[in-house]
Amino acid sequence: MIRSVVRGFGAALPKRVMTNAEMEQVVDTSDDWIVQRSGIRQRYIAGEGETTASLGEQAARAALANAGMTPDDLDLIIVATSTPDNTFPATAVNIQNRLGMHHGFAFDVQAVCTGFVYAVTTADAYIRGGLAKRVLVIGAETFSRILNWTDRTTCVLFGDGAGALILEAGEGTGANSDRGVLTASLRSDGSHKDKLYVDGGPSTTGTVGVLHMAGREVFKHAVGMITDVIQAAFDATGTTPDDLDWLVPHQANRRIIDGSAKKLGIAPEKVVVTVDLHGNTSAASIPLALAVAAGDGRIKKGDLVMLEAMGGGFTWGAVLLRW
């Protein structure tokens, strides 16, 4: 059978690092308050000329170099983002052009913080369906551009960045020992829309709007929803937390990450945590974390890796793959 195998990874971050100490100069907050409630110590903020597309392009070029490929080797680009450069065309098409790629096809996926999980699952479906052999999957965000910088409950949490994976069609036997995507579990429930949303849009206000979040409500639902899709992935493959080498979660909040791992019985040393470095970069957080852990040698060829996320909508999902 066909499996979608990871061939390369890459990441990109804005030049500016904004520490919690700097955040104290912007809103009424403190380093202790931010770290205690989220685990975040710094985040990266896009500056002039740095956009979702420019960061996505950098991450894409890093992934291509890591894979030893060029844009000519790609069939499809999927970009997960909630902060596109333009309402249209898709940021994926923008990045396709920036890469000098004039063949194949490209489109965006919008599932907020779960976007990268949705995008990897979509890429896997195109590969297994025979519509693409090599897919560049990017998560890229500039959430700093949709924050209310007077709201201390939200502006301290988010950052900007981009990460990318290249998935390629490979042969497998259908066993869990195959390299590549083994299973995916996706969910959404629109009844939770008002708990995490942006109050603007072309069809409503004609403006971009800013982010609003009912933090306690999001936290209340997060651990249960995350463990639901992770358990579904385990059940689909007959695997257990003991079989897992790495959990790479969406980097939103250290307490949610720790609570989900504990509930599932996943050892803390198996959890990749970068929220302290990047903050919540929405759809970019999982590929950024993958790039850190694969880049420093923690994630190795043959490792069993679980990706999971929850985002506005609510959307949530998990992907189990063998690196």
Side-chain angles (χ1 to χ4, degrees):
M1 65 180 297
I2 297 173
R3 294 288 198 191
S4 302
V5 180
V6 176
R7 296 300 188 196
F9 61 88
L13 292 162
K15 296 180 181 66
R16 182 188 174 193
V17 178
M18 188 175 190
T19 64
N20 288 350
E22 291 177 80
M23 193 64 74
E24 291 173 356
Q25 308 305 311
V26 177
V27 288
D28 181 17
T29 190
S30 70
D31 176 66
D32 287 344
W33 189 91
I34 298 169
V35 173
Q36 181 183 355
R37 285 162 176 77
S38 68
I40 297 168
R41 297 184 182 277
Q42 64 174 43
R43 72 287 294 148
Y44 289 77
I45 303 297
E48 186 176 355
E50 293 177 321
T51 71
T52 296
S54 72
L55 293 169
E57 178 196 357
Q58 291 175 46
R61 290 189 184 280
L64 286 165
N66 181 256
M69 296 180 184
T70 73
D72 291 339
D73 296 312
L74 302 174
D75 303 304
L76 166 61
I77 299 173
I78 303 176
V79 174
T81 188
S82 298
T83 52
D85 279 34
N86 303 97
T87 301
F88 71 83
T91 299
V93 174
N94 188 337
I95 293 172
Q96 179 189 32
N97 183 57
R98 286 168 173 263
L99 293 174
M101 177 179 163
H102 303 291
H103 65 278
F105 58 117
F107 59 86
D108 289 357
V109 168
Q110 216 285 42
V112 199
C113 299
T114 320
F116 191 76
V117 170
Y118 273 52
V120 167
T121 305
T122 303
D124 178 53
Y126 274 87
I127 289 172
R128 288 188 293 107
L131 293 174
K133 290 184 178 179
R134 295 188 188 94
V135 183
L136 172 62
V137 186
I138 303 169
E141 302 282 17
T142 46
F143 254 55
S144 64
R145 306 261 160 84
I146 57 168
L147 297 178
N148 176 357
W149 285 93
T150 66
D151 179 6
R152 68 174 187 168
T153 65
T154 57
C155 72
V156 301
L157 302 177
F158 294 89
D160 305 330
L165 288 184
I166 295 175
L167 297 176
E168 182 180 47
E171 291 186 3
T173 64
N176 290 336
S177 57
D178 290 348
R179 288 189 67 204
V181 174
L182 302 180
T183 192
S185 178
L186 304 179
R187 306 274 193 277
S188 67
D189 184 349
S191 67
H192 298 289
K193 170 185 176 290
D194 292 338
K195 296 181 177 71
L196 179 54
Y197 68 100
V198 170
D199 63 359
S203 185
T204 51
T205 65
T207 63
V208 173
V210 295
L211 182 146
H212 295 264
M213 180 171 68
R216 290 183 180 178
E217 286 294 310
V218 174
F219 186 88
K220 184 175 75 174
H221 289 279
V223 173
M225 289 178 168
I226 289 166
T227 54
D228 163 56
V229 287
I230 291 176
Q231 189 59 55
F234 282 139
D235 292 344
T237 54
T239 54
T240 71
D242 290 339
D243 299 314
L244 200 64
D245 292 297
W246 297 103
L247 172 66
V248 184
H250 167 49
Q251 307 290 318
N253 184 297
R254 182 63 190 259
R255 292 190 296 166
I256 293 173
I257 293 170
D258 292 346
S260 303
K262 183 176 180 180
K263 187 173 180 179
L264 287 159
I266 299 172
E269 59 268 21
K270 292 183 176 183
V271 183
V272 175
V273 179
T274 58
V275 69
D276 56 322
L277 301 174
H278 303 145
N280 183 345
T281 55
S282 191
S285 81
I286 289 176
L288 279 170
L290 282 170
V292 170
D296 66 22
R298 276 179 287 172
I299 296 179
K300 303 179 295 296
K301 182 178 178 180
D303 281 355
L304 190 63
V305 181
M306 181 78 75
L307 316 179
E308 61 83 356
M310 173 195 168
F314 288 148
T315 62
W316 63 106
V319 168
L320 184 64
L321 61 87
R322 191 168 296 282
W323 196 259

